Amino acid sequence: TLGERARWLRQWVPMGMRTVGYGTVSLTLGPITPRHSASAWAMRNWSRDCMKGLHIAFEAHGEGNVPDSGGFMYASNHQSLLDILVLGGTLPGDFKWAAKRSLMKIPFLGWHLTGTLGGVLTTLFIVVVRVRSASGNFSKAKRGILTTM
């Protein structure tokens, strides 16, 4: 219906504009800031601004349980596409992502995740062919993340 299309435009067009804006900051300033801090800042603020734009309220609990040093892994049950916004806007520290390989093809998002245009490689891409192969891919992802830290 016309109302649904208007709502879609009000929500997703600004999200696309935020993606281009924060993606540009990440791609241009990320490579020249210590530890690519501009990229982490852009990802965190992109996530938070997108949640605000979509009227998603969030509150984080248990930050004290995150270790100050050493490796650890967050795992999400991925109930929706909005999990990325919530995780990106609330998780502390500088972290890396594991994602489907098909995300590499999305402009700005893919460039940021792959380190294209001088950015930092922040993602381990996984090819998921069958659900049964996912556990093997997870083991590979874990090894890849540990070697990049």
Side-chain angles (χ1 to χ4, degrees), residues 90-112:
T90 59
L91 294 177
D94 182 21
F95 53 88
K96 310 300 179 229
W97 295 95
K100 291 190 308 184
R101 189 171 192 172
S102 61
L103 295 177
M104 294 171 66
K105 298 175 185 173
I106 299 172
F108 285 94
L109 177 62
W111 299 337
H112 174 77

Side-chain angles (χ1 to χ4, degrees), residues 2-144:
L2 187 58
E4 290 172 346
R5 288 183 183 167
R7 191 184 101 223
W8 185 89
L9 287 171
R10 281 193 317 269
Q11 291 178 338
W12 294 103
V13 168
M15 186 172 183
M17 293 171 64
R18 285 184 205 97
T19 302
V20 170
Y22 283 115
T24 300
V25 169
S26 176
L27 291 168
T28 57
L29 299 178
I32 61 173
T33 55
R35 301 197 65 198
H36 302 280
S37 59
S39 293
W41 175 88
M43 183 273 306
R44 183 161 284 112
N45 284 285
W46 171 80
S47 297
R48 290 176 179 169
D49 285 354
C50 286
M51 283 191 289
K52 286 177 191 172
L54 295 170
H55 306 290
I56 298 170
F58 68 97
E59 187 176 320
H61 298 276
E63 294 93 345
N65 296 322
V66 177
D68 292 333
S69 62
F72 56 94
M73 185 179 293
Y74 299 108
S76 170
N77 60 2
H78 225 346
Q79 292 295 307
S80 78
L81 295 174
L82 300 176
D83 289 3
I84 301 303
L85 298 179
V86 173
L87 294 171
T90 59
L91 294 177
D94 182 21
F95 53 88
K96 310 300 179 229
W97 295 95
K100 291 190 308 184
R101 189 171 192 172
S102 61
L103 295 177
M104 294 171 66
K105 298 175 185 173
I106 299 172
F108 285 94
L109 177 62
W111 299 337
H112 174 77
L113 295 175
T114 60
T116 304
L117 304 177
V120 58
L121 179 61
T122 59
T123 306
L124 178 66
F125 289 99
I126 299 172
V127 178
V128 178
V129 179
R130 294 182 309 268
V131 174
R132 291 179 189 254
S133 68
S135 65
N137 285 334
F138 185 76
S139 295
K140 289 178 190 174
K142 180 179 173 187
R143 285 192 302 276

